[in-house]
Amino acid sequence: MCCLTCLRDSDLPTKCTKNSLMEILYLNEFVVKPNFSKMVETFTGESLQYEVLNVENMNPRIKQVEYPIKSPIVIRAIELEKELNEGKKLPFETIIKAYVGDCHAMGQKQITFVRQLLAACLYPPLISKNIFPSDVNKRANKILSTIKESMGCYGDIGGLAVVKKNVAKFIVRRDDFPCNSEHIVLTNGASTSVQYILELFVRENENVGVMVPIPQYPLYSATIDEFGMKQVGYYLNEEKNWSLDISELKRSLDDARKTCSVKCLCVINPGNPTGQVLSYQNIQEIIKFAIEEGLFIIADEVYQDNVYAEECTFYSFKKVMKEMGNVAKDLQLASLHSCSKGFLGECGLRGGYVEFVGISDEVFYHFNKLLFAQTSTNVTGQLVLYCLVNPPKNHEPSYDLFVQEKANILSSLKKRARLVYENLNKLEGVNCKEIQGSHFAFPQIWLPEKAINQAKSLGQAPDFFYCMQLLQQTGICVVPGSSFYQKDGTYHYRLSILPSDDQLKALLEKLGEFHKGFLNFYK
């Protein structure tokens, strides 16, 4: 404390450093003199720039958050694209962004019905010009009548009633069971839904665990870190096409309960990044496990329209739960859906919903207070969601074109999924499971010992090293499996099937050439 005494006496101690003086200023701001900064500069020769917020004192939970879609590989891809645009000569002419599920960025065409309804609602004078089909005009007028004739108004807390009612009808058609529209919340995409759900489980003095599949979608790990919770990973069975083994759930849960209180079990179906579609029986087993262990299920079902394998069918967790009858009557779950994926691919317009099942009205009352704090969900995104859950009927003028566009998109995705699966498995040391659904392949790659050692010498994960070399030599940007977590000793990458047919064929050809050259170089 001699330093403080010296400061109070207006003298600078000769043994103080700049850092110690800054600490004194921070801890004793009310006792130092106004000319402290000038005194420090005089003594040390450096100006004092004390920051109220810096990387040392910021929220430590945020520093723990990682998101591979903004990884060094993606950052490098952006840099390379800039260099190409500036005319720099590189071994390739374009960056192929096969790392993200952004449908429209990859060239997918917009659904006409969606854009017409958006245009009519955003600029109502278009309705009177009769340039859109009559069913579009009718729906636009109905929606506008609920929001004071302007898309610029705040929406209802929890979502527009007209949209929520149609979401409920959609769920009833899908599952053949009743749906309470009051327990549906419209959100700015599934990402917001996940944040809402997990926030309900945050405890002040309890280490709360959330079970997530490994490989996992980074939204979950990032949100879990942000809320100060514990990620409890369970491994999907790659040998059985990324199925979910109950024995593995049990192992993971028992281990986790030694250090935390596990509350939630997250299941992604169809899978991301793994592309599997869970069977009806597997979902039944998962539900029974959750009931026995007292877990809340988070059913991430945003890819439910993206099922390609002939032997596979999408079943919602709610449908299976209801068909199990009294066995599952006490199960609580939240089911997510989004208009970012499927056949719409409207990632940027941010529309989604979460349906809560088995939650009391009292809990939902308190949950609604979170929604009031957000004021309103993006109204434009809600309108896109309305198109997803309430498409044109077969007697309406927009129906034929809508059905044709939807079928073309899903048919093309199915062909691309098969193309990627077949071509990757032709490569030496690559094992890609069938892409049953979603937008991604997640092949396992064998890497030579020499390449593994080279990666480790650079402080890099071996599959990160492989993916960075792929980017630098071909312009193909994919995400390494280490970013999604994976079993020790295995290496993967996530590859999007969204590039157009021509671009995807070129990508696979380049990838094959690179892979062969990589193995030859490091053998």
Side-chain angles (χ1 to χ4, degrees), residues 7 11 31 47 81 85 132 158 214 232 246 302 362 384-385 402 477 504-505:
L7 284 172
D11 295 323
V31 300
S47 61
E81 188 170 48
N85 292 336
F132 300 132
I214 302 298
V232 178
I246 301 304
V302 301
E362 185 178 11
V384 179
L385 186 65
F402 177 86
C477 185
L504 194 58
K505 289 175 182 176

Side-chain angles (χ1 to χ4, degrees), residues 195-216:
Q195 293 167 340
Y196 279 151
I197 296 165
L198 291 182
E199 193 166 1
L200 288 169
F201 290 92
V202 174
R203 307 287 189 269
E204 285 294 332
N205 300 307
E206 186 177 5
N207 189 13
V208 174
V210 180
M211 300 186 74
V212 296
I214 302 298
Q216 59 101 30

Side-chain angles (χ1 to χ4, degrees), residues 41-189:
E41 185 173 2
T42 301
F43 179 71
T44 66
E46 300 180 59
S47 61
L48 177 64
Q49 296 180 338
Y50 177 73
E51 298 171 319
V52 176
L53 177 66
N54 59 45
V55 74
E56 300 300 328
N57 62 26
M58 70 179 289
N59 184 346
R61 293 178 181 173
I62 295 177
K63 290 192 285 185
Q64 293 174 5
V65 171
E66 295 183 2
Y67 209 78
I69 307 306
K70 297 299 181 185
S71 73
I73 290 179
V74 176
I75 292 171
R76 181 58 182 148
I78 294 171
E79 293 172 348
L80 291 172
E81 188 170 48
K82 183 179 179 182
E83 292 177 10
L84 286 171
N85 292 336
E86 292 172 349
K88 185 174 181 179
K89 296 296 182 182
L90 296 174
F92 44 86
E93 296 180 354
T94 185
I95 297 294
I96 303 177
K97 300 173 183 177
Y99 63 88
V100 66
D102 190 345
C103 305
H104 290 187
M106 293 288 97
Q108 180 173 309
K109 300 300 182 184
Q110 306 140 4
I111 296 289
T112 302
F113 174 73
V114 175
R115 291 313 171 99
Q116 287 178 338
L117 190 59
L118 279 172
C121 289
L122 286 166
Y123 190 62
L126 292 176
I127 299 173
S128 60
K129 295 182 181 295
N130 288 320
I131 60 175
F132 300 132
S134 59
D135 56 331
V136 171
N137 292 337
K138 182 179 178 180
R139 290 177 189 231
N141 281 322
K142 181 177 181 179
I143 292 168
L144 289 169
S145 69
T146 69
I147 50 175
K148 302 187 185 302
E149 306 301 324
S150 175
M151 292 283 286
C153 293
Y154 281 132
D156 303 328
I157 299 301
L160 298 175
V162 64
V163 182
K164 288 173 66 173
K165 288 178 180 177
N166 278 283
V167 170
K169 291 178 181 177
F170 163 81
I171 294 172
V172 171
R173 291 195 305 272
R174 184 194 69 188
D175 298 338
D176 203 23
F177 285 97
C179 175
N180 181 1
S181 65
E182 293 305 310
H183 281 199
I184 292 170
V185 176
L186 308 187
T187 63
N188 296 325

Side-chain angles (χ1 to χ4, degrees), residues 111 398-411:
I111 296 289
S398 299
Y399 177 78
D400 289 342
L401 179 59
F402 177 86
V403 170
Q404 179 185 340
E405 290 177 336
K406 175 182 176 180
N408 288 345
I409 290 170
L410 292 176
S411 174

